[in-house]
């Protein structure tokens, strides 16, 4: 009983901690940083959102491909949810500035 339980517990622990190692997501579940400069696409206004020139909607019923805007961002097919329209409210432009302190953003997930 105990000899089977220990390997199972180790596998479960490994699976639970796995997302913490996702390379392009410094904080699990957080909006990813924008990996390219954004100045040329700002400001975002009601009349014009240049991010949508390149970033397309994830099709319904299909896995999201890189660069596609997840279904979570849509109120209905073809209709971005209002609170997701201003992309820069959540997606920060990436920066190569040095971290101010050695912070492990996923500490709570370990
Ligand atoms: C000229 C085309 C273009 C425009 C305009 C553009 N992007 Fe991008 N964006 C890209 C490309 C190309 C990538 C890299 C996709 C990849 O990793 O294969 C990318 C990546 C991203 C990612 C990471 C996507 C992922 O799946 O991990 C985010 C977030 C993002 N862009 C946000 C924005 C925001 C916000 C704007 C508007 C301020 C914007 N982009 C405007 C081309 C564009
Ligand atoms: C209210 C905050 C918020 C706004 C505004 C927002 N996003 Fe996101 N975005 C997120 C979160 C959180 C995720 C992580 C996955 C999810 O929730 O669907 C995400 C995921 C993404 C992804 C997939 C890559 C990843 O980070 O996992 C892309 C591409 C993306 N958003 C593009 C956009 C674009 C383009 C806009 C503007 C039209 C936008 N987002 C507006 C919060 C936001």
């Amino acid at each position: 009983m105990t000899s089977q339980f220990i390997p199972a517990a180790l596998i479960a622990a490994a699976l639970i901690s796995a997302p913490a190692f996702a390379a392009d997501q410094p904080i699990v579940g957080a909006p990813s940083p924008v990996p390219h400069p954004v100045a040329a696409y700002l400001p975002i206004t009601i009349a014009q959102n240049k991010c949508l020139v390149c970033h397309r909607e994830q099709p319904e019923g299909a896995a999201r491909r890189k660069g596609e805007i997840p279904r979570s961002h849509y109120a209905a097919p073809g209709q971005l949810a209002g609170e997701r329209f201003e992309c820069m409210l959540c997606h920060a432009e990436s920066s190569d500035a040095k971290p101010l302190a050695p912070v492990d953003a996923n500490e709570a997930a370990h």
Side-chain angles (χ1 to χ4, degrees), residues 32 34-36 41 50-51 54-55 64 66-67 87-88 91:
S32 54
V34 184
H36 54 72
Y41 315 131
K50 289 187 187 158
C51 309
C54 299
H55 292 281
R64 189 184 74 84
K66 216 155 192 206
C87 318
M88 303 313 292
H91 293 275

Side-chain angles (χ1 to χ4, degrees), residues 43-90:
I44 293 170
T45 65
I46 291 175
Q48 191 180 54
N49 186 340
K50 289 187 187 158
C51 309
L52 304 179
V53 171
C54 299
H55 292 281
R56 297 295 163 86
E57 177 177 356
Q58 173 191 352
E60 277 193 293
R64 189 184 74 84
R65 289 184 303 174
K66 216 155 192 206
E68 283 179 349
I69 304 173
R71 290 240 52 87
S72 59
H73 289 37
Y74 289 83
Q79 195 197 329
L80 265 173
E83 71 273 18
R84 302 270 191 168
F85 190 78
E86 208 332 346
C87 318
M88 303 313 292
L89 285 178
C90 305

